[in-house]
Amino acid sequence: MGSQVWCFIAIFILITTGESRKTTDKTCHPNDLKGLISFKAAIRSDDSGRLEKWIGYGCCKWEGISCNNTTGRVTQINLPGFFTSSDDSPVQTSMNGHLSPSITLLSSLEVIDLSGLTGLTGNIPPSIGFRLPKLRKLSLFGNKLEGRLPESIGKLFNLEVMYLHENSFSSTLPESLGNLKSLRFLDLHSNGYTGVVPDCIANLTNLETLNLQNNFLSHIPANIGDLQALKELDLSNNSLRGRIPSSITKLKSISVIYLNNNQLEGEIPQPFSSDQMPALRFLRLHDNLLVGRIPDSLGYLTSLERVSLANNKLEGSIPTSLGNLRSLTELYINGNQLSGQIPSSLGQLSRLLILNISNNMIREPLPQEMASLINLQTLDLSFNRLNLFSIPYWLLKLPSLSQIHLASCRIQGELTEFLQSTPSSLQVIDFSDNNLTGNIPALIGSLTELYLLNLAGNSLIGQIPSTITNLVNLGVLDLRSNKLEGSLHRVFEIQTRFGGGSLTYIDFSDNRFSTGIEQIGTGMQQGIQYLNLSHNFLKGRIHTAIGTLGSMQSLDLSYNNIESELPPSLGNATSLERLKLQKNNFTGKIPNEFLKLKELEELDLSNNMLIGEIPFGKPLIDFPKSSYLQNRGLCGKPLGPCPL
Ligand SMILES: *[C@@H]1O[C@H](CO)[C@@H](O)[C@H](O)[C@H]1NC(C)=O
Ligand SMILES: *[C@@H]1O[C@H](CO)[C@@H](O)[C@H](O)[C@H]1NC(C)=O
Ligand SMILES: *[C@@H]1O[C@H](CO)[C@@H](O)[C@H](O)[C@H]1NC(C)=O
Ligand SMILES: *[C@@H]1O[C@H](CO)[C@@H](O)[C@H](O)[C@H]1NC(C)=O
Ligand SMILES: *[C@@H]1O[C@H](CO)[C@@H](O)[C@H](O)[C@H]1NC(C)=O
Ligand SMILES: *[C@@H]1O[C@H](CO)[C@@H](O)[C@H](O)[C@H]1NC(C)=O
Ligand SMILES: *[C@@H]1O[C@H](CO)[C@@H](O)[C@H](O)[C@H]1NC(C)=O
Ligand SMILES: *[C@@H]1O[C@H](CO)[C@@H](O)[C@H](O)[C@H]1NC(C)=O
Ligand SMILES: *[C@@H]1O[C@H](CO)[C@@H](O)[C@H](O)[C@H]1NC(C)=O
């Protein structure tokens, strides 16, 4: 490049920068200046430090303000709470104060971004539509703003982006919304909007995102299908009633439909051909009141990746056509009234990661073809009408399986065979409410990734194998309602990988355990939150170390033969919400330290050998008499007064 050209560029830069300095240095337009000064005055605190540098009259130079170089008017206020600071690191800041209506003085504004400041209160100025006709972007999300969306908003013909989510806005949405012909992104989620989604919203032919999640809206417009540019529709967690409009299948650009957690009724609208909703990837209709069958034509929607139809009133069989959905990674159809058998075509869903069919009326046999689900990580078939008899062999060969839920599937026999062939990467096993017999095999200790083991409601016998101490990742252990016996102490010896103990939930109730109770609190299980040893034959004393279980919320030792005194140290387990010690032989007095159990909501000390005065104070005096009845000699509130 010749030196002449370089020279020309240099001069050009000099001229343009000099020029812009000229326009920005000078006093800005008096209305803009007045508006910004009032805006600043209404902000009580700004921990970003941006506003304190707003000094003088040249407001175009102020941080967060942009002007048009020709007209000198302010076009943008960009003061989001989350931004990238001058040294390129992201910072989260907040402002407390009132959104001054004087920002409507800045009549050339195109962009208002006061998002995520967390502490901004006040309203959207009612005159906004008349005063700021050039507005393209209005972003006020993540504040404490309230009031209605003003009718005048419909005058903002240039508005493309309206982000008002995560505030406390309320009242109904104005009909004038339908005039915002340029609008592409409308996000009002997590506010208190009521009434209907206005029909006129279907006029917004450029709308790409409509997010009204977490409001109290009650009706979807029948003509919603007119939104030909719409890619994301989220109306989840509102109060929507009636049917899902059939026009929804005409949404040609749609990729996301979330209508879950409403009271929608009627049948799922059927796409008529593979031309409809060709880009639909995520469909959530769960937790509604939908009836009828899962439409066969759902199989046309081959872009689908995640589908949840769970917790409705769907019936009939699972359509074979679902096998066409080769992109599917997650399918939740649990909690319906589906019957028949699982179609063998589901074996074609080789990308499937999660399949939940639990809580239906599905019958055996399971199709062998499911062995092809090589990516399946989570399978839940619990609570159907499956008579599996044994755990299907192919299931154990699924290479990616990490969670298996087969509760109440009428599985019989011993666990040994299962444990011999199962991949050691399993993290969750729920075989509860079956008819497993025999011992818990020592092999269980080889499943070192195991986080949850639920074998409750079976007919297991014998002792807990010593290898259980290998399960260093165990968090939840439920062996309720079996015929297990012997000592519990191994469980309190599990040295969880992170030392402090990830084991938070232990239910050994309704078995035949007799020893090991003195180990509670002595091991590494400091994180335990739920411990239920009720309905066993436990004898012995309770160690004072029980008081070190500071996370424990629920302790149930009822229906045993414990003959200990109540340890005063238990008063140190101050997270306790439920304490059930009834039907034992606890002796002595109720320790005064129990008055420290301020979180206690449920207490049962009845049917023991306790004596003396119930310590006077909350929460102990607030429990009903029945919490203390049938002891040897308790007295004082809530029971009768003690003898003098
Ligand atoms: C600045 O304002 C002038 C006059 O209104 C307009 O023509 C021009 O497009 C604006 N410039 C920018 C960058 O918006
Ligand atoms: C306006 O001037 C600023 C410098 O003050 C410059 O950064 C910006 O690019 C200019 N905008 C236009 C559209 O010329
Ligand atoms: C907007 O929608 C309403 C209600 O659906 C309709 O009556 C009206 O004609 C539409 N207006 C325009 C300009 O399309
Ligand atoms: C549903 O919306 C209500 C009201 O906005 C909110 O309080 C609640 O937390 C939301 N529930 C969920 C699961 O998001
Ligand atoms: C499957 O759905 C049921 C509800 O029907 C739920 O309780 C269970 O946690 C789900 N399973 C998995 C693995 O998420
Ligand atoms: C469990 O299996 C045993 C032995 O096969 C049988 O006697 C018992 O009735 C079964 N229990 C249930 C609840 O099916
Ligand atoms: C403990 O288990 C028994 C029997 O399984 C049950 O009835 C009781 O409600 C459980 N206790 C708590 C506190 O959950
Ligand atoms: C409590 O002790 C008495 C006598 O010491 C005994 O008869 C009774 O069976 C015991 N009750 C329980 C529940 O262990
Ligand atoms: C309760 O905890 C405190 C502080 O750790 C300790 O000093 C006290 O001895 C404990 N109380 C009982 C009765 O163990």
Side-chain angles (χ1 to χ4, degrees), residues 451-607:
Y451 167 75
L452 181 149
L453 179 61
N454 187 351
L455 300 174
N458 282 287
S459 305
L460 297 166
I461 58 167
Q463 305 216 16
I464 295 178
S466 60
T467 53
I468 196 130
T469 54
N470 296 344
L471 302 181
V472 293
N473 287 307
L474 203 60
V476 178
L477 179 57
D478 193 345
L479 302 177
R480 173 184 48 84
S481 298
N482 278 286
K483 294 166 184 156
L484 297 164
E485 59 188 30
S487 176
L488 309 162
H489 71 277
R490 301 260 186 241
V491 174
F492 298 108
E493 285 168 9
I494 299 175
Q495 300 261 343
T496 46
R497 186 165 287 172
F498 305 107
S502 58
L503 195 55
T504 56
Y505 186 103
I506 298 177
D507 191 346
F508 285 178
S509 63
D510 191 20
N511 275 289
R512 296 167 183 177
F513 291 109
S514 54
T515 60
I517 199 158
E518 50 291 319
Q519 305 283 330
I520 303 176
T522 60
M524 299 297 289
Q525 306 309 334
Q526 302 301 313
I528 190 97
Q529 291 169 11
Y530 181 95
L531 180 60
N532 194 342
L533 304 177
S534 73
H535 296 270
N536 277 288
F537 304 128
L538 291 165
K539 299 187 288 281
R541 305 179 66 79
I542 293 176
H543 198 283
T544 55
I546 199 168
T548 63
L549 300 178
S551 307
M552 191 148 61
Q553 291 164 7
S554 180
L555 175 65
D556 193 342
L557 305 177
S558 63
Y559 295 87
N560 279 293
N561 305 322
I562 304 169
E563 297 196 315
S564 169
E565 296 200 330
L566 292 173
S569 66
L570 196 50
N572 273 355
T574 49
S575 301
L576 269 179
E577 292 166 12
R578 284 189 295 178
L579 178 60
K580 310 194 83 172
L581 304 176
Q582 75 271 24
K583 284 270 185 191
N584 277 291
N585 262 345
F586 282 106
T587 55
K589 301 174 82 170
I590 301 175
N592 278 323
E593 284 79 357
F594 277 28
L595 292 172
K596 293 196 285 182
L597 300 173
K598 298 294 181 210
E599 304 292 321
L600 210 55
E601 287 162 9
E602 226 182 304
L603 174 71
D604 197 340
L605 300 175
S606 68
N607 291 284

Side-chain angles (χ1 to χ4, degrees), residues 342-390:
I342 296 178
S344 56
S345 63
L346 286 202
Q348 297 164 14
L349 304 177
S350 58
R351 299 211 181 142
L352 205 58
L353 305 173
I354 303 179
L355 178 60
N356 194 345
I357 303 188
S358 72
N359 296 91
N360 279 291
M361 302 184 302
I362 301 293
R363 290 192 178 277
E364 73 283 355
L366 299 178
Q368 289 287 336
E369 287 80 357
M370 287 178 82
S372 314
L373 299 176
I374 51 167
N375 285 304
L376 196 66
Q377 293 171 359
T378 297
L379 175 65
D380 194 341
L381 301 176
S382 304
F383 304 106
N384 276 287
R385 298 202 175 154
L386 291 166
N387 279 298
L388 289 190
F389 191 69
S390 65

Side-chain angles (χ1 to χ4, degrees), residues 269-280:
Q270 306 209 18
F272 293 115
S273 70
S274 52
D275 301 340
Q276 293 199 301
M277 302 190 279
L280 188 61

Side-chain angles (χ1 to χ4, degrees), residues 76-112:
Q76 304 202 4
I77 301 178
N78 275 302
L79 291 170
F82 183 76
F83 62 99
T84 309
S85 69
S86 44
D87 64 354
D88 252 7
S89 50
V91 284
Q92 178 66 59
T93 62
S94 60
M95 278 187 201
N96 287 308
H98 197 76
L99 174 62
S100 169
S102 65
I103 54 161
T104 55
L105 289 172
L106 295 103
S107 57
S108 292
L109 268 183
E110 294 168 22
V111 172
I112 299 177

Side-chain angles (χ1 to χ4, degrees), residues 20 24 67 69:
S20 69
T24 53
C67 294
N69 292 348

Side-chain angles (χ1 to χ4, degrees), residues 88-197:
D88 252 7
S89 50
V91 284
Q92 178 66 59
T93 62
S94 60
M95 278 187 201
N96 287 308
H98 197 76
L99 174 62
S100 169
S102 65
I103 54 161
T104 55
L105 289 172
L106 295 103
S107 57
S108 292
L109 268 183
E110 294 168 22
V111 172
I112 299 177
D113 186 348
L114 297 170
S115 62
L117 293 168
T118 71
L120 215 52
T121 57
N123 302 302
I124 298 179
S127 63
I128 189 165
F130 303 110
R131 300 283 185 79
L132 305 180
K134 295 185 170 168
L135 209 56
R136 287 185 286 112
K137 175 175 176 180
L138 178 61
S139 181
L140 298 172
F141 69 85
N143 280 297
K144 295 193 172 68
L145 296 165
E146 55 188 22
R148 55 170 50 236
L149 191 56
E151 186 70 34
S152 80
I153 205 93
K155 305 273 181 217
L156 298 175
F157 297 116
N158 295 305
L159 199 63
E160 291 169 26
V161 177
M162 178 148 65
Y163 291 150
L164 304 180
H165 47 282
E166 293 165 13
N167 276 291
S168 302
F169 291 119
S170 58
S171 189
T172 55
L173 296 171
E175 282 289 332
S176 64
L177 262 183
N179 299 331
L180 300 176
K181 286 291 149 63
S182 306
L183 200 60
R184 294 170 57 205
F185 304 99
L186 177 57
D187 193 341
L188 306 180
H189 83 257
S190 300
N191 278 292
Y193 287 115
T194 54
V196 300
V197 181

